[in-house]
């Protein structure tokens, strides 16, 4: 079973519709990381997303990537907001990933208005990303973010610079948020118009961990971890042809996501999703 492919915006790359989320390798050993990454080959995943902030992820991907680089679209990020910091971040990521270039360099978690302005202004991180592209250290530039304001902030970012991709949350709960659903649709429409790839995260998020609750998964939020729930969530997200799903950052949940994506059960309708949301207990991970 292999996972389907989609055009990644206007980049010319045919990407697997599920992108491997490198955060799953945050604190894993190299042997475990190698086994997890080998699973991508089994399912036809050809796109990896990681970041310096994901613990040891870049260090674990690097040795494996040295053997498989030509078969993957490799994306990382910089969370720095100034030019010098972002430039250093980029070079450090290349060393950790054991490659001379990445395919996509993203400005990480760019939602706070002050940080947004600094990163996209003269002397900001965007200048370092553009320089990296000119030097052949990256092919494309994207922007990512979390929270209920991120879709609106990405729309602002696209008016400031021609980003090649955006990354933002999308699941059944987010789609029914009073403002976020509307903002997401507006941003997705602008991306479709301009050929910008839309990557989504938190497809399998259940909600925040309750106070005192035992954390049985490595994600900072509580993920769905029952196969039936994951199949429903994945089928709903991938039922939309204009977006990509970045896998959940937990190595035990990952195989269920890949299996669901490869089998592609029928897309559930609104009534089925209403029942699913209630039965699975979907709640906000970002506050109100």
């Amino acid at each position: 079973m292999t996972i389907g492919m989609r055009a990644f915006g206007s980049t010319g790359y045919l990407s697997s519709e599920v992108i491997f989320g490198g955060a799953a390798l945050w604190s894993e050993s190299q042997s475990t990381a190698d086994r997890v990454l080998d699973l991508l080959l089994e399912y036809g995943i050809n796109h990896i997303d990681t970041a310096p902030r994901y613990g040891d992820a870049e260090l674990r991907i690097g040795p494996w990537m040295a053997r498989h680089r030509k078969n993957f679209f490799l994306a990382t990020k910089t969370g720095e907001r100034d030019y010098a910091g972002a430039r250093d971040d980029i070079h450090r990521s290349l060393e950790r990933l054991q490659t001379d270039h990445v395919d996509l360099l993203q400005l990480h978690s760019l939602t706070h208005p002050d940080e947004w302005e600094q990163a996209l202004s003269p002397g900001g991180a965007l200048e370092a990303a553009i320089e990296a592209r000119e030097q052949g250290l990256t092919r494309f530039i994207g922007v990512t973010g979390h929270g209920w304001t991120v879709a609106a902030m990405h729309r602002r970012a696209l008016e400031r610079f021609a980003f090649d991709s955006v990354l933002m949350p999308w699941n059944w709960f987010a789609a029914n948020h009073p403002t976020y659903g509307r903002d997401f649709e507006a941003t997705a429409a602008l991306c479709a118009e301009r050929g910008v790839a839309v990557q989504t995260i938190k497809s399998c998020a259940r909600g925040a961990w309750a106070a005192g609750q035992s954390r049985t998964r490595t994600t900072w939020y509580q993920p769905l971890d029952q196969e039936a729930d994951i199949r429903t969530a994945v089928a709903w997200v991938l039922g939309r042809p204009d977006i990509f799903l970045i896998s959940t950052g937990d190595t035990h949940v990952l195989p269920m996501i890949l299996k669901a994506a490869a089998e592609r059960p029928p897309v559930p309708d609104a009534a089925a999703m209403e029942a699913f949301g209630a039965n699975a207990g979907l709640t906000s991970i970002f506050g109100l």
Side-chain angles (χ1 to χ4, degrees):
M1 296 183 296
T2 57
I3 288 170
M5 301 288 173
R6 299 177 176 182
F8 193 68
S10 297
T11 65
Y13 189 72
L14 196 61
S15 169
S16 50
E17 55 194 13
V18 173
I19 298 167
F20 172 65
L25 304 179
W26 187 294
S27 59
E28 299 293 347
S29 67
Q30 190 63 54
S31 60
T32 297
D34 287 347
R35 288 197 300 273
V36 170
L37 291 166
D38 283 346
L39 192 61
L40 308 186
L41 303 176
E42 180 180 334
Y43 280 94
I45 301 290
N46 65 357
H47 191 147
I48 292 174
D49 177 85
T50 189
R53 292 183 179 178
Y54 295 166
D56 291 336
E58 288 186 330
L59 291 171
R60 297 294 167 257
I61 291 169
W64 190 88
M65 186 55 56
R67 303 190 298 273
H68 299 282
R69 180 69 184 90
K70 69 179 188 299
N71 300 318
F72 282 85
F73 188 97
L74 180 59
T76 193
K77 310 178 182 76
T78 176
E80 300 296 324
R81 304 311 185 204
D82 65 295
Y83 163 81
R87 179 198 59 206
D88 293 345
D89 223 17
I90 294 164
H91 286 275
R92 187 163 48 248
S93 285
L94 293 176
E95 291 177 6
R96 287 157 61 103
L97 290 166
Q98 299 188 26
T99 184
D100 61 358
H101 77 284
V102 292
D103 298 288
L104 176 64
L105 176 66
Q106 302 161 101
L107 304 187
H108 194 177
S109 194
L110 199 59
T111 52
H112 190 283
D114 292 342
E115 293 185 9
W116 186 96
E117 191 62 43
Q118 180 187 10
L120 300 185
S121 295
L126 180 58
E127 283 194 354
I130 294 170
E131 179 182 85
R133 185 173 63 182
E134 292 170 347
Q135 294 174 344
L137 305 182
T138 188
R139 297 168 60 204
F140 306 105
I141 301 173
V143 63
T144 81
H146 291 256
W148 296 129
T149 63
V150 64
M153 293 299 290
H154 282 350
R155 211 154 58 249
R156 281 185 63 196
L158 289 169
E159 297 301 338
R160 180 73 69 92
F161 179 75
F163 287 100
D164 297 294
S165 68
V166 300
L167 183 157
M168 51 188 172
W170 189 240
N171 57 27
W172 178 250
F173 187 90
N176 290 278
H177 185 273
T179 58
Y180 186 79
R182 181 179 67 246
D183 285 338
F184 181 96
E185 294 297 349
T187 301
L190 179 61
C191 288
E193 177 186 324
R194 298 188 179 181
V196 177
V198 178
Q199 306 168 92
T200 65
I201 53 175
K202 307 302 183 282
S203 61
C204 294
R206 183 191 305 277
W209 293 106
Q213 182 180 8
S214 176
R215 299 195 176 196
T216 56
R217 302 298 178 191
T218 57
T219 44
W220 62 268
Y221 57 90
Q222 184 181 10
L224 300 171
D225 56 8
Q226 297 301 307
E227 189 166 359
D229 291 339
I230 288 171
R231 284 174 62 84
T232 299
V234 169
W236 182 79
V237 171
L238 293 184
R240 181 173 182 147
D242 59 340
I243 61 176
F244 292 84
L245 184 159
I246 296 182
S247 61
T248 300
D250 182 278
T251 58
H252 301 287
V253 174
L254 175 67
M256 290 185 282
I257 292 176
L258 299 183
K259 184 172 183 285
E263 292 179 349
R264 288 301 293 274
V267 180
D269 60 20
M273 290 304 293
E274 288 282 1
F276 157 70
N279 292 335
L282 302 188
T283 60
S284 174
I285 60 173
F286 299 123
L288 299 177

